[in-house]
Amino acid sequence: MTTLLDRAPVSVPGKTPRRSVTALFAISVLVAGYTGFRLPGEWAATLQAVSLTDGFHRRFLVGTLLKPFGHDYLVFAIASFVVLGAVLATVAFAFFRSPTESRRLLIVAWLLLPTGGYLFHEVGYFDQVLYLLLFGALWALHRDRPVLASAVMALSVTAHEIALLTVLPVFGFALLRKVPFRRVCALLAPATVLGLGILALPPVAPGAVDGLRRSLSTADFRYRADALDLFGRTQAESWRLYSITAVLLYLLPIAVVVIGGFLFLHRPALSAVVPAAAIGAPLLLAFGGWDDARWGFLLVTNFFVVVWRWLDRRELKLSQAGVLTALLLILTHVPMPYFDGYAPRWLTLVTPVEAAR
């Protein structure tokens, strides 16, 4: 069976991680948690109340599952931390099951970069659900259940339509390493068609937003009216609220660094086109909204997931490790402002005197 992308190297027995690397992983999780941990915000809780049965046609998966439990903030907070815990458990599983030190250190680097803190800060956002579903689909694909994997990815677009530009391209890259091109198209079709169909439909049924506002008016948290306003605006109206150029200018240097870095690791070839596209796809989110730091987080995360998949059982060569280290040092300087007036915590217990002036 031939595929569009190069085959992965022959499998070799996995290696147990060294104690020092395991300790580094534990430290990186603690640092990321300390840097970005917070309770789920009111924006996230509001969107988790959106359900299909209430007439919402986008981002309805989580809210539909949670609706039987009511609209209490505690319900949304528990669900948010369950998803975050599942993501962290999946990352830990990937770390301990990785057969190479390169893969393990890649996970550690992602946690130590601003992306690690941002993961904890983003608790409650649907991005975490998307990547959890992606990990589930990749596991099903690993177990030779591509139809199940395709179904899981189709589910992802009902959680958030940005799945089309984040997790779906990564899934397509994984498929191309496993099955022929025609079957790849068939397996991507359900999620793609469903996602485009969701975008083509009106976001909500008439009166759905007002109905949910009435329901949330008696909830035990202050819901975000501007979060529900998203469902009443056209894309053209949203574009008038922010500068697409400004978001692109924020994302473009990040995209150049991660795509250029991957091309150096891979060496330019036809087989590099698909993974490079999967890495750079979140750049197009600049046309979807103004959450520039969030799009930057997803851009860097796609880079790490793609490189992790591409490495398979290979160890990085010395020159590749050097370039990747330099790239990671550049990414430490990427500003990722937090939502709702929050900021990353200092690794010191007090604010330095110079910064307090």
Side-chain angles (χ1 to χ4, degrees):
M1 182 187 296
T2 58
T3 61
L4 182 66
L5 298 183
D6 296 332
R7 281 291 187 181
V10 177
S11 298
V12 296
K15 298 178 182 178
T16 303
R18 293 177 296 176
R19 289 184 180 179
S20 58
V21 180
T22 300
L24 190 59
F25 172 73
I27 292 170
S28 65
V29 173
L30 291 174
V31 168
Y34 172 77
T35 302
F37 179 84
R38 67 150 173 167
L39 293 176
E42 293 166 342
W43 177 283
T46 301
L47 290 181
Q48 287 180 7
V50 168
S51 69
L52 183 63
T53 53
D54 286 327
F56 288 81
H57 305 147
R58 294 182 189 174
R59 310 178 195 182
F60 55 78
L61 175 64
V62 173
T64 303
L65 294 175
L66 294 180
K67 187 177 180 181
F69 302 99
H71 289 156
D72 292 338
Y73 176 79
L74 183 61
V75 171
F76 300 133
I78 291 174
S80 299
F81 283 119
V82 166
V83 172
L84 175 60
V87 171
L88 291 172
T90 303
V91 170
F93 179 82
F95 175 85
F96 286 105
R97 291 298 298 268
S98 292
T100 65
E101 295 293 344
S102 296
R103 267 188 161 189
R104 296 189 191 104
L105 291 174
L106 196 69
I107 293 172
V108 169
W110 180 76
L111 288 167
L112 289 177
L113 285 174
T115 45
Y118 204 90
L119 171 71
F120 282 86
H121 170 71
E122 233 198 2
V123 61
Y125 277 74
F126 294 153
D127 305 344
Q128 297 184 358
V129 176
L130 296 183
Y131 282 89
L132 190 60
L133 291 172
L134 171 65
F135 297 151
L138 293 178
W139 176 251
L141 192 61
H142 174 71
R143 304 292 292 180
D144 292 324
R145 297 179 179 178
V147 175
L148 175 61
S150 176
V152 171
M153 293 311 299
L155 202 60
S156 71
V157 298
T158 67
H160 202 304
E161 61 275 12
I162 66 170
L164 292 168
L165 293 174
T166 54
V167 295
L168 197 59
V170 176
F171 180 63
F173 162 63
L175 283 174
L176 282 167
R177 292 171 62 86
K178 189 126 181 123
V179 301
F181 180 71
R182 287 186 178 180
R183 196 168 187 207
V184 170
C185 295
L187 292 170
L188 287 176
T192 304
V193 172
L194 180 58
L196 294 176
I198 287 173
L199 289 175
L201 288 173
V204 290
V209 172
D210 290 336
L212 184 57
R213 281 177 175 156
R214 287 192 295 271
S215 298
L216 292 178
S217 65
T218 59
D220 59 351
F221 69 98
R222 185 177 298 177
Y223 77 92
R224 291 282 296 268
D226 52 345
L228 297 180
D229 289 342
L230 292 172
F231 297 91
R233 285 197 298 263
T234 65
Q235 191 59 54
E237 290 171 336
S238 294
W239 285 339
R240 287 196 288 268
L241 298 177
Y242 74 101
S243 169
I244 297 175
T245 302
V247 178
L248 281 172
L249 289 175
Y250 168 82
L251 294 175
L252 191 58
I254 305 174
V256 170
V257 169
V258 294
I259 294 175
F262 177 78
L263 291 177
F264 182 90
L265 296 174
H266 188 284
R267 300 297 184 186
L270 180 61
S271 58
V273 172
V274 172
I279 292 170
L283 180 67
L284 297 177
L285 292 173
F287 297 95
W290 53 79
D291 289 346
D292 48 5
R294 185 175 159 214
W295 308 150
F297 166 74
L298 298 176
L299 190 58
V300 175
T301 298
N302 267 23
F303 166 74
F304 275 90
V305 175
V306 168
V307 172
W308 191 87
R309 291 284 306 179
W310 169 77
L311 279 174
D312 200 73
R313 294 179 178 272
R314 288 177 288 227
E315 290 284 9
L316 287 169
K317 298 176 183 177
L318 184 60
S319 60
Q320 292 175 320
V323 169
L324 186 58
T325 301
L327 184 149
L328 296 177
L329 289 174
I330 295 172
L331 292 178
T332 61
H333 290 75
V334 173
M336 286 189 179
Y338 287 178
F339 297 114
D340 306 326
Y342 284 86
R345 292 183 183 88
W346 296 85
L347 289 181
T348 54
L349 297 180
V350 296
T351 302
V353 174
E354 293 84 356
R357 289 176 179 173

